[in-house]
Amino acid sequence: QLQLVESGGGLVQPGGSLRLSCAASGFTLDNYVIGWFRQAPGKEREGVSCISSRDGNTAYTDVVKGRFTISRDNAKNTVYLQMNSLKPEDTAVYYCATVDLINFHAYGRRCDDGTNFGSWGQGTQVTVSS
């Protein structure tokens, strides 16, 4: 069965860095879009970044551009989210999720809230606080 496992969350000070990992098992990420999403207490889930495991194309929400970088290592079947210059506003549970490319295009090529993504990990907590 398909599984996604996030890791790398924790407590960091403002301005610090953290790298999240999303390891996939039970399938290959060759033809998927992988997204990172986050949800803070009292707020709706929002898309952070997404990447095509096939060609490496990426997208970012405006508030993380220049600070976060998404990447993938297909040999390890893993997607990463490097987070630099972290702010308290980045505090949230971070989830990775996948959707195959056919359905990604069929449902509008959206990475905004994850409603079009089918498989989800359990989440990892990121807390940015002094």
Side-chain angles (χ1 to χ4, degrees):
Q1 62 273 16
L2 188 154
Q3 284 193 15
L4 298 172
V5 179
E6 301 98 330
S7 62
L11 174 64
V12 297
Q13 294 185 347
S17 297
L18 210 58
R19 189 176 81 159
L20 306 183
S21 299
C22 175
S25 62
F27 70 107
T28 178
L29 294 176
D30 289 352
N31 293 290
Y32 285 81
V33 170
I34 303 91
W36 284 100
F37 303 85
R38 66 187 183 186
Q39 188 163 24
K43 294 190 175 183
E44 294 186 359
R45 184 175 63 200
E46 64 175 339
V48 177
S49 181
C50 57
I51 186 170
S52 168
S53 62
R54 176 166 157 265
D55 58 23
N57 287 341
T58 61
Y60 299 89
T61 192
D62 287 343
V63 296
V64 308
K65 287 180 179 177
R67 299 189 297 122
F68 291 9
T69 303
I70 192 170
S71 62
R72 87 270 198 254
D73 186 338
N74 285 357
K76 297 181 178 179
N77 224 31
T78 299
V79 172
Y80 304 96
L81 184 68
Q82 179 67 46
M83 305 184 295
N84 299 326
S85 301
L86 283 162
K87 304 175 180 179
E89 303 93 284
D90 297 316
T91 296
V93 177
Y94 284 70
Y95 301 89
C96 66
T98 65
V99 59
D100 66 84
L101 283 167
I102 293 175
N103 282 296
F104 181 71
H105 286 275
Y107 288 98
R109 297 170 290 151
R110 301 190 305 273
C111 295
D112 51 359
D113 60 6
T115 57
N116 53 326
F117 284 64
S119 299
W120 292 78
Q122 83 288 350
T124 185
Q125 177 71 47
V126 172
T127 302
V128 185
S129 177
S130 59

